[in-house]
Amino acid sequence: MLFYNFKIICLAVAVAYYSSASAQDFAALEARLDRYVEEGELPGGVILVRRGDETLLAHAFGFRDREADDAMQIDDQFRIASQTKLIVSVGIMMLIEDGVLTLDTPLTAYFPEWQNVRVATPSGTEELARPIVLRDLLSHSSGIGYGFTEAWFGRGFNGWYFAESDRPIREAVRAMADVPLAHQPGSGWTYGYNTDILGALIAEVTGKPLGVFLDERLFEPLGMEKTQFFLDADEADNLAVVYSRQGDALLRAPDPGGMVGQGHYVQGPKVVESGGAGLISTAEDYVRVLDMLRAGGAFGGQQLLSSETAALMTEPVITSPAPDWYPGGTEFQFGLGHEVSKGRPNGRAAGSLGWGGAYHSVYWIDPDYDLSVVYLTQVIPSGDLDDETVIEQMIYNVLRSEN
């Protein structure tokens, strides 16, 4: 509860200093985003900034489809990839509140094939020192990696991408247990299939497809009408096109193209609802999840999570050397479903929560400013784009200039 007492104090300060903020203050940011499009670095995107109950900025820029000269709209849909992880993690926390699971529930309680998983060592493999538990999966400290090696390719995995697969997720989880862990559970941070396993676990314990559970427990209560795993052909008009940076050029990605392409979200087997990276959403939908967590689990007069559970999701579980691609420093903290930031220069405060997706999207919640931010675009690979850092610093420049 200390977090929420501190948050209330910070909110009072924020209201006192920043009550005059308006979209007009973000004109320089909007112009900078337009310049990224004009210079051919970005196709387009949507950014949404909320503080308290007020929307400070809701801005669509550039193109949903450059070749068709189709302008981006504020309610366009995006492949949010790993931003799916937060949503599924909230689902697990709901089941913990229901008394169905605990943070210390062993994975083997539902998926017994993980009983004999091995752990990689420099000289071979060794036995597990202890079982993998849900806390490990939520914080990516289980040792389960992603399928970017021959060991994974040979078992039918393709990185984080499941949309092209017709193998049920339960079978995929069984196959994952054949690959040695990168380290003993709880002893390090390894990004991987943890949240896909959690999505499969939700289906296992509830007897419902993951998408149905999320519809009932999150999407419908939050009014997230455009968040789903797959689209029918007649629903795809508002799905933003994926582009790829190749050198200085921004090229339309192949269709379907797999992991680096338009994907199999409209035309495909539509079998695996990937809890780690499978959802399609909008900025306006996604910010509702952030606002609910920022408000201590409450939204629209409903208490979807208890304030204690929401506070638990703000606490770091593991501290680790930062991965090579991480922009926020050399040390890295991860909690139950997302990063717990140590703060960034001229950007988000320490204790902010956030993550991003493979198609170059990002979100964060900053308790110091009572702030939710969602930035969505569709670029994979994105190369050396600096837009996420620039956007973050420009947002805080506006907020701090009013102090």
Side-chain angles (χ1 to χ4, degrees):
M1 298 302 294
L2 288 176
F3 171 84
Y4 285 98
N5 292 336
F6 178 66
K7 176 180 166 182
I8 290 169
I9 294 170
C10 290
L11 175 58
V13 173
V15 169
Y17 283 122
Y18 306 125
S19 58
S20 63
S22 69
Q24 188 65 32
D25 299 313
F26 292 96
L29 172 54
E30 293 181 11
R32 183 68 186 94
L33 291 170
D34 291 341
R35 195 160 81 247
Y36 278 117
V37 175
E38 292 164 4
E39 294 173 354
E41 294 188 275
L42 285 172
V46 174
I47 185 166
L48 188 59
V49 181
R50 284 179 54 78
R51 187 178 61 222
D53 295 328
E54 180 185 7
T55 298
L56 301 185
L57 177 65
H59 179 59
F61 64 97
F63 300 95
R64 175 173 52 207
D65 184 334
R66 290 200 313 171
E67 290 71 25
D69 198 29
D70 187 5
M72 190 71 75
Q73 304 297 319
I74 197 72
D75 61 347
D76 280 340
Q77 290 173 290
F78 296 79
R79 303 152 193 82
I80 63 170
S82 285
Q83 289 185 210
T84 306
K85 290 178 169 65
L86 173 62
I87 289 172
V88 171
S89 298
V90 169
I92 288 289
M93 300 307 290
M94 288 176 162
L95 292 177
I96 289 172
E97 285 198 343
D98 291 346
V100 176
L101 302 168
T102 75
L103 287 175
D104 295 313
T105 297
L107 181 55
T108 53
Y110 293 94
F111 299 145
E113 63 269 20
W114 288 85
Q115 184 71 46
N116 299 316
V117 69
R118 304 288 293 181
V119 180
T121 68
S123 59
T125 64
E126 63 185 14
E127 293 183 352
L128 281 175
R130 66 163 175 81
I132 296 168
V133 299
L134 298 196
R135 182 183 286 103
D136 302 323
L137 296 169
L138 286 160
S139 61
H140 290 263
S141 60
S142 69
I144 301 168
Y146 261 139
F148 294 108
T149 65
E150 288 301 322
W152 289 104
F153 294 151
R155 290 170 173 83
F157 293 93
N158 181 17
W160 47 266
Y161 185 70
F162 284 95
E164 66 184 355
S165 177
D166 59 4
R167 176 174 57 177
I169 189 63
R170 181 65 187 90
E171 293 182 19
V173 170
R174 188 173 290 112
M176 290 173 190
D178 292 337
V179 181
L181 303 179
H183 50 75
Q184 290 286 349
S187 66
W189 188 85
T190 298
Y191 200 43
Y193 292 120
N194 299 273
T195 323
D196 286 293
I197 296 170
L198 291 173
L201 180 61
I202 287 174
E204 186 77 11
V205 301
T206 64
K208 300 176 180 179
L210 176 59
V212 171
F213 172 84
L214 294 176
D215 279 340
E216 293 176 355
R217 296 296 297 269
L218 265 175
F219 301 158
E220 291 177 8
L222 289 174
M224 297 171 64
E225 298 179 354
K226 300 185 75 173
T227 302
Q228 57 209 98
F229 283 103
F230 301 107
L231 297 173
D232 293 332
D234 61 358
E235 297 176 311
D237 289 346
N238 296 328
L239 182 61
V241 171
V242 179
Y243 292 85
S244 298
R245 286 181 58 82
Q246 297 184 17
D248 294 330
L250 189 64
L251 305 178
R252 191 184 188 98
D255 189 3
M259 185 164 53
V260 182
Q262 307 305 323
H264 296 76
Y265 302 99
V266 180
Q267 301 292 337
K270 301 183 181 179
V271 170
V272 180
E273 295 180 331
S274 167
L279 280 172
I280 292 165
S281 190
T282 69
E284 291 180 323
D285 270 15
Y286 200 84
V287 80
R288 292 166 180 256
V289 180
L290 307 186
D291 286 350
M292 180 270 292
L293 290 173
R294 185 163 53 90
F299 187 90
Q302 305 172 85
Q303 195 73 38
L304 300 183
L305 281 178
S306 70
S307 59
E308 291 81 8
T309 298
L312 193 61
M313 294 186 74
T314 71
E315 298 176 5
V317 172
I318 188 162
T319 300
S320 169
D324 294 341
W325 40 264
Y326 177 67
T330 58
E331 193 175 62
F332 175 81
Q333 296 181 140
F334 213 84
L336 301 176
H338 44 199
E339 180 202 0
V340 182
S341 178
K342 286 179 166 290
R344 298 188 183 182
N346 303 312
R348 70 191 71 174
S352 296
L353 314 170
W355 203 234
Y359 296 97
H360 199 62
S361 60
V362 69
Y363 75 88
W364 73 91
I365 303 167
D366 186 332
D368 279 21
Y369 285 84
D370 200 31
L371 196 71
S372 301
V373 179
V374 181
Y375 171 59
L376 302 177
T377 186
Q378 302 278 255
V379 184
I380 182 171
S382 58
D384 59 356
L385 274 172
D386 65 355
D387 52 323
E388 292 181 358
T389 298
V390 168
I391 287 166
E392 180 171 342
Q393 292 181 351
M394 292 186 77
I395 289 170
Y396 284 95
N397 284 345
V398 170
L399 300 179
R400 290 167 181 149
S401 71
E402 297 178 1
N403 191 328

